Amino acid sequence: MLVNYAQPSLIKPILLASSLLLYPRSTSRHPPHSLPNLLHFHCRRSSLNTFATMAEAKHAASYSPPEHHAGTWYSVPDLRLRDHRFIVPLDYSIDRSASPKISIFVREVVAVGKEEQQLPYLLYLQGGPGFECPRPTEASGWVHKACEGFRVVLMDQRGTGLSTPLTSSSMLQLDSAEKLVDYLKHFRADNIVNDAEFIRVRLVPDSGPWTILGQSYGGFCAVTYLSFAPQGLKQVLITGGIPPIRSGCTADIVYSACYEQVIRQNEKYYERFPQDAEIVREVVIHLAESEGGGVLLPSGGILTPRGLQTLGLSGLGSSAGFERLHYMFERVWDPVLVPGSRKQISHYFLKAFENWLDFDSNPLYALLHESIYCQDASSSWSAYRILAEDNGKFDAIRAAKEGRPVFFTGEVVLRILRYLKSASEK
């Protein structure tokens, strides 16, 4: 903690003091001295210590960690990897010497045998917001293809992975909502681009331009890159992520269109697994009729009908999501071992539900997700407001009682606490 967050000028004196306290010098191996000699020795030693401490403080005051540290090459099957760490300003809008510093982690990836080849660079911008880059375990997928002609750069965007991560525990150091908001404003796409440029001019030979590949939110960042620093770009590849760029394209318009697609995905899911419609209805009724409007989760939270619907975030839009969702509901109920025992949701299902969502391990996603759709206006909880205007299509309890399929929600972040309150009042 000290090394990560204290000012460099404070670290060495404190560590020096700690070493003296923990490991005091012993005089037991030296012959006894007369009092005058001891006094003379003490005074001379004090002078030496004072001089050493002054020199140490002067060195510490001028010390700053290197802006770039490169590790050594290591291997996974058919790939060679090298880790880099860059010390960057938290706030690029002020003088860099005055800004607090954070660390940005980058993993360089090449095919085996190409470590020293002069390859063009490709920066990968991960989706999210708030998710770290993938960790390669072998040469497969797009990384394998990209490494045929590129030196791939996997950058953990600030606040994620190993880039001074913002976690549910680390953010507790910011002891007010105002301080947290003031800190989080430095973790948007504009500063992700600033970090990328900081890295490019120090990593790419002759500070040349590079290719970027943006996936989902990474595509949002790529468009910001084109706007803020086109001089650093050779070519831009985008897969599935385009931000609102036309005037008047508000978050409300985005979520209205999103819900139409989510309804269609729900219909496709129940067409594939029609038996799940009744199972999901039973679970919703069980949750609604439970004390407090939900069931206690292993982590201590509460699973409510609205919370259950958030399974659609991944279940309706990811590869094999339909199948994973179906197999979860296969094991939703505990078996009745003793006749007359109360029906209950299995620990397996509750644990699987928690593992499905990443809000606790990657809180930046929930905190920043809706804001990425803002264009010239605040979202004002757009997804929540648009959902409230759907004439009950996404009202889980109402759908279950009326015998309709319960629709899961999609990639939205809702005001769950309000739903918890309303569920407990019913």
Side-chain angles (χ1 to χ4, degrees):
M1 182 66 73
L2 175 68
V3 175
N4 286 337
Y5 296 105
Q7 296 178 8
S9 60
L10 299 178
I11 294 174
K12 289 193 175 183
I14 294 175
L15 294 180
L16 177 63
S18 299
S19 66
L20 291 174
L21 290 171
L22 293 172
Y23 306 105
R25 294 179 175 86
S26 171
T27 59
S28 61
R29 289 182 293 174
H30 298 281
H33 298 276
S34 64
L35 181 60
N37 286 339
L38 281 174
L39 290 174
H40 173 75
F41 175 76
H42 173 74
C43 293
R44 182 175 180 181
R45 182 166 173 177
S46 296
S47 299
L48 290 173
N49 282 345
T50 300
F51 177 79
T53 301
M54 291 174 61
E56 187 76 21
K58 181 178 180 181
H59 173 75
S62 62
Y63 173 80
S64 61
E67 288 186 334
H68 176 205
H69 176 266
T72 57
W73 289 102
Y74 58 99
S75 300
V76 299
D78 299 319
L79 293 176
R80 294 283 282 166
L81 315 176
R82 180 165 61 174
D83 297 344
H84 299 261
R85 293 181 186 272
F86 297 85
I87 304 301
V88 306
L90 173 69
D91 186 355
Y92 284 91
S93 68
I94 63 176
D95 185 86
R96 290 188 179 182
S97 62
S99 171
K101 302 297 189 294
I102 60 174
S103 175
I104 301 297
F105 175 80
V106 162
R107 182 169 280 118
E108 183 181 0
V109 186
V110 297
V112 170
K114 294 186 176 183
E115 297 91 329
E116 304 303 324
Q117 290 188 18
Q118 299 298 314
L119 298 169
Y121 282 73
L122 182 147
L123 170 70
Y124 177 68
L125 296 170
Q126 171 68 22
F131 285 90
E132 61 274 12
C133 263
R135 270 46 183 167
T137 57
E138 61 181 357
S140 61
W142 73 267
V143 171
H144 173 63
K145 184 65 177 179
C147 284
E148 291 179 2
F150 288 96
R151 189 176 293 271
V152 175
V153 176
L154 302 176
M155 179 183 74
D156 283 350
Q157 296 167 16
R158 53 170 52 201
T160 74
L162 294 174
S163 293
T164 310
L166 291 178
T167 65
S168 54
S169 53
S170 71
M171 287 191 296
L172 292 176
Q173 298 171 40
L174 301 162
D175 56 9
S176 72
E178 290 76 11
K179 290 179 181 179
L180 180 59
V181 170
D182 188 60
Y183 195 77
L184 290 176
K185 71 183 183 182
H186 301 297
F187 290 79
R188 299 176 298 199
D190 55 347
N191 278 324
I192 292 172
V193 171
N194 286 330
D195 292 340
E197 278 294 278
F198 186 100
I199 292 166
R200 180 186 63 83
V201 300
R202 289 160 178 80
L203 187 62
V204 179
D206 301 320
S207 301
W210 56 9
T211 296
I212 61 173
L213 169 61
Q215 159 63 20
S216 190
Y217 175 66
F220 285 51
C221 296
V223 173
T224 303
Y225 211 143
L226 283 165
S227 301
F228 286 13
Q231 72 281 358
L233 301 175
K234 182 178 181 180
Q235 56 184 340
V236 177
L237 310 173
I238 297 176
T239 61
I242 299 292
I245 55 177
R246 178 173 58 84
S247 179
C249 184
T250 64
D252 285 10
I253 293 176
V254 172
Y255 283 114
S256 293
C258 174
Y259 281 128
E260 293 178 6
Q261 295 300 316
V262 172
I263 290 173
R264 178 55 186 150
Q265 286 298 100
N266 274 281
E267 292 170 346
K268 289 165 60 177
Y269 173 76
Y270 287 121
E271 287 171 5
R272 187 174 302 182
F273 301 108
Q275 65 271 38
D276 287 2
E278 182 58 30
I279 295 174
V280 176
R281 281 194 292 266
E282 289 179 3
V283 174
V284 167
I285 295 298
H286 178 84
L287 294 173
E289 294 179 350
S290 298
E291 183 179 357
V295 170
L296 193 66
L297 289 163
S299 65
I302 298 176
L303 176 59
T304 64
R306 173 60 69 206
L308 184 77
Q309 289 176 282
T310 62
L311 288 173
L313 193 156
S314 294
L316 300 182
S318 63
S319 176
F322 283 10
E323 289 73 25
R324 291 175 58 204
L325 195 58
H326 169 69
Y327 294 136
M328 275 183 64
F329 278 102
E330 275 191 338
R331 295 184 59 183
V332 67
W333 299 112
D334 266 342
V336 177
L337 303 181
V338 178
S341 295
R342 181 173 58 88
K343 188 175 185 179
Q344 63 183 20
I345 297 177
S346 69
H347 178 84
Y348 169 88
F349 183 86
L350 297 174
K351 187 66 175 177
F353 171 83
E354 290 190 323
N355 292 339
W356 191 289
L357 302 177
D358 299 294
F359 292 160
D360 58 343
S361 59
N362 293 77
L364 269 181
Y365 176 85
L367 292 170
L368 297 180
H369 180 264
E370 189 160 298
S371 68
I372 70 176
Y373 296 104
C374 293
Q375 178 76 359
D376 300 328
S378 171
S379 72
S380 300
W381 290 103
S382 176
Y384 170 81
R385 289 186 293 100
I386 299 300
L387 188 66
E389 300 169 0
D390 73 340
N391 296 317
K393 293 178 183 177
F394 284 90
D395 188 325
I397 299 174
R398 178 176 166 183
K401 290 182 176 179
E402 293 177 355
R404 293 185 285 112
V406 174
F407 285 170
F408 298 97
T409 51
E411 193 170 0
V412 296
V413 176
L414 302 171
R415 296 171 66 173
I416 299 295
L417 290 178
R418 176 168 293 190
Y419 278 103
L420 281 172
K421 182 179 179 182
S422 62
S424 64
E425 292 173 346
K426 292 182 179 179

